[in-house]
Amino acid sequence: MGKTLLSTHGLKAFYGDAQALFGIDFHLDEGEVVAIIGANGAGKSTLLKSLTGLVAVPAPAVCLHGQPIGGLPPGEIVRRGLAMVPEGRRLFPSLSVEENLRMGALAGRQGPWTLERLFQMFPILKEKRRNPSGALSGGQQQMVAIGRALMSNPQILLCDELSLGLAPIVIREIYAALPTFTAEGLTVVVVEQDVSLAQQVSQRVVCLQEGVVSLEGRSNALTREQISEAYFGLSTAEAH
Ligand SMILES: Nc1ncnc2c1ncn2[C@@H]1O[C@H](COP(=O)(O)OP(=O)(O)OP(=O)(O)O)[C@@H](O)[C@H]1O
């Protein structure tokens, strides 16, 4: 595995007075796919938002290539190579597929990801390039959201619940694109509610529980019991 690209150090995050993260030490090595799992409200989205400047955190709490980036404006963080596919996709529904994709390039960098490259990967988007994105199916909209993030040519792609509301066959199709991203040198984080899927698509799993890391390990080495305990705070035996 490559060297550490991104790291957090005792990361705490707040919404007003309410604390959501309680000292997260997280790291991301070059080229890996890491899955973040955890129950509703565990802090998964808050972690991603803290990395991308959407939730303000102290500068030294998040480092990219060893440089503090915590609390930088989101646009600056995109320029430094982090891009997020947000939960719920957050497209501009009245804008066309192509316009949504081009938005992603505005704050970004030069690199391998162009409109043509995305259209090769997701040919349906080429077919529908002039359609309003709001008229697409959920899976196609997710492809647009991924494509928009890739258009900024990130080093790190953070994906928040790609599978939300999608049929299993569509989810498989979306996740099948991950190896193409890593082959281009991308490092990927996926937040995923489906634990088996999270294990299948990643090399490493990090489980959050109530704002702390409750488990971390190789995806193929963690047992159901370990995950169950880390996820719910109960062992399987206790849960039944
Ligand atoms: N905008 C907000 N204002 C106040 N509290 C928030 C806000 N967003 C999240 N929280 C709280 O922060 C905690 C972590 O939420 P977060 O959305 O990060 O969890 P999550 O693991 O992503 O859950 P989910 O799977 O439901 O998206 C929860 O207690 C949640 O209620």
Side-chain angles (χ1 to χ4, degrees):
M1 198 49 72
K3 63 180 188 304
T4 298
L5 266 186
L6 182 82
S7 51
T8 72
H9 309 273
L11 174 67
K12 296 176 183 166
F14 296 83
Y15 295 99
D17 291 337
Q19 189 166 358
L21 300 181
F22 295 81
I24 303 269
D25 294 320
F26 172 78
H27 72 278
L28 199 52
D29 292 336
E30 210 163 41
E32 66 177 345
V33 178
V34 173
I36 300 179
I37 61 172
N40 286 337
K44 307 179 296 296
S45 297
T46 306
L47 175 57
L48 296 198
K49 287 176 183 168
S50 302
L51 301 179
T52 51
L54 297 170
V55 167
V57 295
V62 184
C63 290
L64 179 65
H65 301 295
Q67 299 296 312
I69 62 158
L72 287 178
E76 176 59 27
I77 292 182
V78 173
R79 273 189 291 280
R80 291 183 187 218
L82 269 80
M84 178 142 97
V85 184
E87 185 174 355
R89 299 156 206 143
R90 306 279 171 118
L91 299 179
F92 297 97
S94 61
L95 296 187
S96 69
V97 166
E98 183 169 331
E99 285 165 333
N100 270 281
L101 292 172
R102 287 189 186 280
M103 288 276 180
L106 293 179
R109 307 142 24 113
Q110 299 295 312
W113 295 102
T114 58
L115 264 188
E116 285 316 312
R117 184 73 210 285
L118 288 172
F119 288 156
Q120 274 171 14
M121 192 170 64
F122 298 125
I124 188 71
L125 298 190
K126 184 167 191 180
E127 209 175 289
K128 305 213 168 190
R129 66 197 290 175
R130 308 218 185 283
N131 295 20
S133 66
L136 270 54
S137 72
Q140 291 162 2
Q141 290 190 27
Q142 193 60 277
M143 291 172 195
V144 177
I146 293 169
R148 182 180 57 183
L150 290 174
M151 285 290 280
S152 71
N153 279 292
Q155 258 189 308
I156 301 174
L157 184 69
L158 306 166
C159 304
D160 199 351
E161 304 214 23
L162 291 180
S163 51
L164 201 69
L166 302 181
I169 189 169
V170 180
I171 295 170
R172 274 197 293 281
E173 190 186 350
I174 301 261
Y175 272 109
L178 279 194
T180 315
F181 306 160
T182 47
E184 284 288 1
L186 267 167
T187 301
V188 180
V189 175
V190 293
V191 164
E192 180 50 65
Q193 290 274 1
D194 179 334
V195 173
S196 341
L197 184 59
Q199 284 180 283
Q200 280 165 37
V201 301
S202 66
Q203 284 103 48
R204 197 153 61 82
V205 167
V206 173
C207 184
L208 298 186
Q209 189 190 127
E210 297 183 1
V212 300
V213 174
S214 54
L215 181 71
E216 190 263 325
R218 309 300 307 164
S219 307
N220 55 13
L222 295 175
T223 65
R224 284 185 66 169
E225 286 71 24
Q226 283 175 306
I227 292 179
S228 188
E229 186 169 348
Y231 205 95
F232 300 110
L234 290 171
S235 69
T236 318
E238 284 173 284
H240 287 108

